[in-house]
Amino acid sequence: MRIAIVGAGGVGGYFGGRLAQAGADVTFIARGDNLAVLRERGLQIESIVGDAWITPVQATDDPSTVGPVDMVLVATKTWQLGEAIEQIRPLIGPETGVVPLLNGVEASDQLAQALGESHALNGICYIFVARIAPGAVRHSGINPLIIFGERDNRRTARVEALRDWLERAGVRATIPADIDGEVWRKFVFGATTSGLGAVTRAPMGLLRELPETRPLFIQGMREIVAVAQARGIALDESAVAAALAQLDALPYETTASMQRDIMAGRPSELETQNGAVVRLGAAVGVPTPLHAFIYHALLPQERLARRGASS
């Protein structure tokens, strides 16, 4: 199976590295120091399930030299998706599938609009991983899981083939009966914890134990469930219970990736997390007061970070 990884950071590096280790024909679309190290020394994975050093590694900053592939895994930040789509175009053949492993709930729609409905799939992943240096990633938590599928939930040959390769690579992979529901379930947890962590600058362990802040998680999660239901997604209160259980299982000092970006003054996924809750809720007439407060409180810093990044 020919697989391209667009976004060779923590998530893309880990999953792409494991697939290459298992024998898949993997090419990383990378740039800068990361590209140079991947070409010269390969990819190093530090992991709680076993370290690996994959060499040689196929990597390029010019997707047009790769040609059509069977599957593209997109592992950029959500705000980089527009640029990623332009990198993906030369990789598309008649049967190519594109799986987004991004936060939020809108990436699949963006891919379908830009690349064509027949190429876009939907997906999410669960993993704690970060790029710690060019050509090196560290996986520190959660037995990695990818949940993905066709947008209409058909069990096609290409999703079965990718599932088989991921399992061969030691990655848990699930093709669910309702991929939209799975993506929104992660959003219930992710947008709420990211937003509350960013606005308070506190670790999840402290936020979940304080009687003043724990109810905010419940309110934020319920707002997202209400938006999902109004949009025809099959979620109910069990999604809140599951997200709370996930919150309570986190190590005390856990912070969300969006939270860390905002605390460091970097551009973040605010627009596609809390901003998306507000925007998608408004489109279906569902009020989202907590997410609106979080979004509006963080927006000035987000604008400053983007202004700095573009200067």
Side-chain angles (χ1 to χ4, degrees):
M1 191 172 201
R2 299 197 73 217
I3 301 170
I5 308 294
V6 176
V11 170
Y14 182 86
F15 290 122
R18 292 303 191 196
L19 285 163
Q21 186 182 16
D25 182 351
V26 176
T27 300
F28 293 91
I29 310 303
R31 59 190 175 189
D33 292 344
N34 200 36
L35 174 61
V37 172
L38 288 172
R39 283 173 164 171
E40 292 167 13
R41 299 202 297 267
L43 172 66
Q44 289 183 289
I45 298 175
E46 296 179 18
S47 171
I48 58 175
V49 298
D51 297 343
W53 184 7
I54 297 94
T55 184
V57 164
Q58 297 181 111
T60 182
D61 58 359
D62 184 1
S64 67
T65 64
V66 179
V69 298
D70 299 306
M71 197 69 72
V72 180
L73 302 186
V74 188
T76 63
K77 295 286 190 180
T78 55
W79 54 272
Q80 297 170 318
L81 184 55
E83 178 183 354
I85 285 169
E86 297 310 309
Q87 295 178 310
I88 293 167
R89 292 189 192 279
L91 303 170
I92 297 294
E95 304 298 326
T96 304
V98 183
V99 181
L101 300 178
L102 283 68
N103 293 318
V105 294
E106 300 171 293
S108 180
D109 288 341
Q110 290 177 254
L111 290 170
Q113 182 175 7
L115 302 174
E117 187 71 35
S118 66
H119 297 297
L121 283 74
N122 205 351
I124 51 172
C125 66
Y126 290 93
I127 186 173
F128 285 147
V129 65
R131 196 184 84 178
I132 56 173
V137 302
R138 178 178 294 145
H139 163 225
S140 58
I142 300 180
N143 185 7
L145 169 65
I146 290 181
I147 302 174
F148 72 101
E150 300 283 358
R151 284 162 56 85
D152 60 4
N153 296 311
R154 288 178 300 123
R155 297 293 289 257
T156 59
R158 65 184 180 182
V159 298
E160 298 278 6
L162 179 59
R163 192 267 320 274
D164 291 346
W165 268 107
L166 288 166
E167 291 182 346
R168 194 177 307 174
V171 175
R172 293 183 300 152
T174 300
I175 304 168
D178 177 14
I179 185 60
D180 284 344
E182 294 294 336
V183 172
W184 275 84
R185 282 185 189 91
K186 184 180 180 183
F187 194 48
V188 168
F189 172 81
T192 305
T193 53
S194 294
L196 288 173
V199 82
T200 62
R201 270 53 171 181
M204 295 300 144
L206 178 59
L207 291 174
R208 73 189 177 209
E209 73 180 17
L210 284 175
E212 293 86 356
T213 51
R214 186 176 181 87
L216 297 177
F217 285 103
I218 298 172
Q219 179 182 343
M221 292 169 182
R222 284 177 173 164
E223 287 180 4
I224 297 175
V225 169
V227 174
Q229 290 173 337
R231 296 179 65 86
I233 306 298
L235 290 192
D236 56 26
E237 188 67 16
S238 66
V240 175
L244 287 173
Q246 190 176 352
L247 172 67
D248 289 334
L250 294 174
Y252 186 92
E253 293 298 329
T254 299
T255 55
S257 60
M258 187 187 95
Q259 173 182 359
R260 295 191 296 274
D261 285 339
I262 287 177
M263 290 171 67
R266 297 188 293 262
S268 79
E269 297 184 328
L270 178 65
E271 290 290 347
T272 50
Q273 296 266 32
N274 308 97
V277 177
V278 176
R279 177 166 31 80
L280 295 173
V284 291
V286 174
T288 54
L290 178 61
H291 286 279
F293 166 75
I294 292 170
Y295 174 60
H296 296 151
L298 296 173
L299 188 58
Q301 183 171 334
E302 180 71 16
R303 293 290 170 80
L304 287 173
R306 291 189 179 278
R307 190 178 302 166
S310 63
S311 63

